[in-house]
Amino acid sequence: MIATLRRNMTRENGVDLLRHALTTALFSSLIAIALAISGRGAWGAQFVYSLSIGMISWVVIDVGRLMMSPDPRKLWPNGFKGVLLVLVGITAGFLGGNAIGDAWTGAPLLEFWTFAPHKFASTLVITAVAGIAICYFYYSRGKSKYLEGEIALAQRDAADARLKLLETQLEPHMLFNTLANLRVLITTDPQRAVAMLDRLNSYLRVTLGGSRALAHPLAAEFDRLGDYLELMSVRMGDRLRYTLDLPDNLRDVLVPPLMLQPLVENSIRHGLEPQVEGGEITVRARREGGQLVIEVSDTGVGIGHAPAPSSAEAGGFGVAQVRERLTTVYGAQSSMTMSALATGGTCATITFPLPT
């Protein structure tokens, strides 16, 4: 039991113990006032009796549940053990509290045994009802807290599963696009096709060999984005230029994988490729208060001049997936906008809260 108590005695549970003690003391004071008003004796004496009974019951029940609970999330003994704990706590409080009260007032030890039957019964009933009411209140709050935790855990698991599903949809999309480009280069420029194949092999080794975590450092996201852009440079040559700007103080910020690559793909497909001269892509991260802002801008043809993607093209799919992943992870605290630049080209901006 001592080992169980040590396991369950977290800081949060310690705060709950203190809160329960203060609540029990307040409730005991109210009972003392009610008994004094009803003519059962002076308020001071009733306060000592009531507080002693309440605090002893609290110690036995509240500490006992931490010692007996097999589940650190529920913190209440299973089955009859919980009922037995309440009965033992109320009995210990009744006997110990009366003994303390008798010692305080100078009355014979456990004087209640000499009370008239109706007075003894009323004293016992008041103690039992008060103890059961407080225990039920604590139990209800604890159960509500446990259920809230289970709901939050289920929601998090569902969000994680959805995030994984979205990622598994994005990775094949990138692979299929690259293989289609390879097919063209094999017949038109075999040497560049071999270089592109080498880049693809390196990219897939890092991507598939890494962990399937739901989040990784922003530096890893930029590194993988750099690999992808190098892969695309083999195909586009001098027509593709890029800049990756990541401040050192943001390198360790955790973000969902493959958050930026679909935006870069979109810039290449709908911004740079339609231009004979190609263009430049800039990916920049910055902090604005408690928010992380990432911009993916290009010097392409711009939103108004880009050809509308067909249902078979994945540019629109990738952008939609980024929006959905932002909503899944960050909810209403995130946003994504796409706007035309005054100098030509397009800027996609995503914003979400920095971890606290």
Side-chain angles (χ1 to χ4, degrees):
M1 285 190 176
I2 299 300
T4 304
L5 177 62
R6 289 176 178 174
R7 181 196 66 191
N8 293 336
M9 185 54 74
T10 62
R11 180 182 179 185
E12 183 180 4
N13 293 334
V15 172
D16 284 340
L17 281 177
L18 179 60
R19 186 184 297 113
H20 292 170
L22 294 176
T23 304
T24 301
L26 177 60
F27 195 74
S28 299
S29 300
L30 295 176
I31 293 177
I33 293 173
L35 291 174
I37 293 176
S38 65
R40 294 290 295 271
W43 180 84
Q46 295 302 323
F47 175 74
V48 173
Y49 277 105
S50 181
L51 185 63
S52 300
I53 292 173
M55 297 310 290
I56 292 176
S57 298
W58 161 74
V59 169
V60 173
I61 296 174
D62 230 11
V63 176
R65 70 183 178 87
L66 294 178
M67 296 179 65
M68 298 171 62
S69 175
D71 189 341
R73 298 173 301 169
K74 290 184 179 180
L75 296 178
W76 192 262
N78 295 325
F80 76 95
K81 293 182 179 180
V83 177
L84 182 61
L85 177 62
V86 173
L87 294 177
V88 170
I90 291 175
T91 301
F94 183 73
L95 297 176
N98 273 285
I100 293 174
D102 291 341
W104 176 267
T105 59
L109 184 62
L110 299 180
E111 186 187 22
F112 63 83
W113 288 114
T114 64
F115 288 172
H118 70 277
K119 189 174 182 181
F120 172 77
S122 65
T123 302
L124 184 60
V125 167
I126 290 173
T127 302
V129 170
I132 292 174
I134 292 178
C135 288
Y136 181 76
F137 173 71
Y138 292 157
Y139 173 78
S140 298
R141 288 195 61 184
K143 185 176 181 180
S144 175
K145 185 177 180 181
Y146 167 75
L147 292 176
E148 288 175 359
E150 290 295 295
I151 292 173
L153 180 61
Q155 290 175 337
R156 187 182 65 192
D157 289 344
D160 290 349
R162 184 168 184 80
L163 195 59
K164 275 298 178 189
L165 175 62
L166 293 173
E167 184 175 345
T168 57
Q169 291 172 336
L170 282 170
E171 286 179 341
H173 146 62
M174 176 269 171
L175 180 59
F176 294 152
N177 278 353
T178 305
L179 291 176
N181 293 326
L182 267 173
R183 183 177 182 276
V184 174
L185 284 179
I186 286 173
T187 57
T188 60
D189 194 338
Q191 186 174 357
R192 290 176 64 191
V194 171
M196 189 174 189
L197 189 59
D198 290 339
R199 287 285 186 182
L200 178 62
N201 182 54
S202 175
Y203 175 86
L204 291 178
R205 183 184 297 113
V206 173
T207 300
L208 301 179
S211 65
R212 304 291 293 178
L214 293 170
H216 65 177
L218 187 56
E221 181 74 358
F222 268 66
D223 290 342
R224 185 152 69 168
L225 190 59
D227 290 336
Y228 171 76
L229 285 166
E230 283 297 317
L231 187 62
M232 292 298 100
S233 295
V234 174
R235 177 169 63 86
M236 297 184 64
D238 294 338
R239 295 178 64 233
L240 173 61
R241 301 174 300 280
Y242 66 89
T243 300
L244 302 178
D245 182 8
L246 176 61
D248 290 338
N249 63 339
L250 297 178
R251 294 182 61 84
D252 295 329
V253 175
L254 295 180
V255 298
L258 284 174
M259 182 68 73
L260 302 179
Q261 184 174 306
L263 300 180
V264 172
E265 288 185 56
N266 190 69
S267 291
I268 293 175
R269 177 178 289 271
H270 302 295
L272 304 190
E273 284 190 333
Q275 292 189 146
V276 175
E277 71 276 17
E280 182 175 2
I281 293 176
T282 301
V283 183
R284 179 176 290 109
R286 68 176 188 273
R287 178 196 299 265
E288 286 189 1
Q291 298 286 107
L292 176 65
V293 180
I294 303 177
E295 293 178 342
V296 179
S297 58
D298 63 68
T299 59
V301 298
I303 295 178
H305 303 282
S310 66
S311 58
E313 289 181 319
F317 165 81
V319 172
Q321 292 293 77
V322 172
R323 292 185 190 275
E324 192 167 353
R325 297 181 82 206
L326 282 171
T327 302
T328 299
V329 180
Y330 304 104
Q333 295 178 297
S334 64
S335 65
M336 174 180 167
T337 60
M338 298 190 69
S339 57
L341 297 174
T343 55
T346 304
C347 180
T349 305
I350 60 175
T351 304
F352 51 87
L354 285 164
T356 55

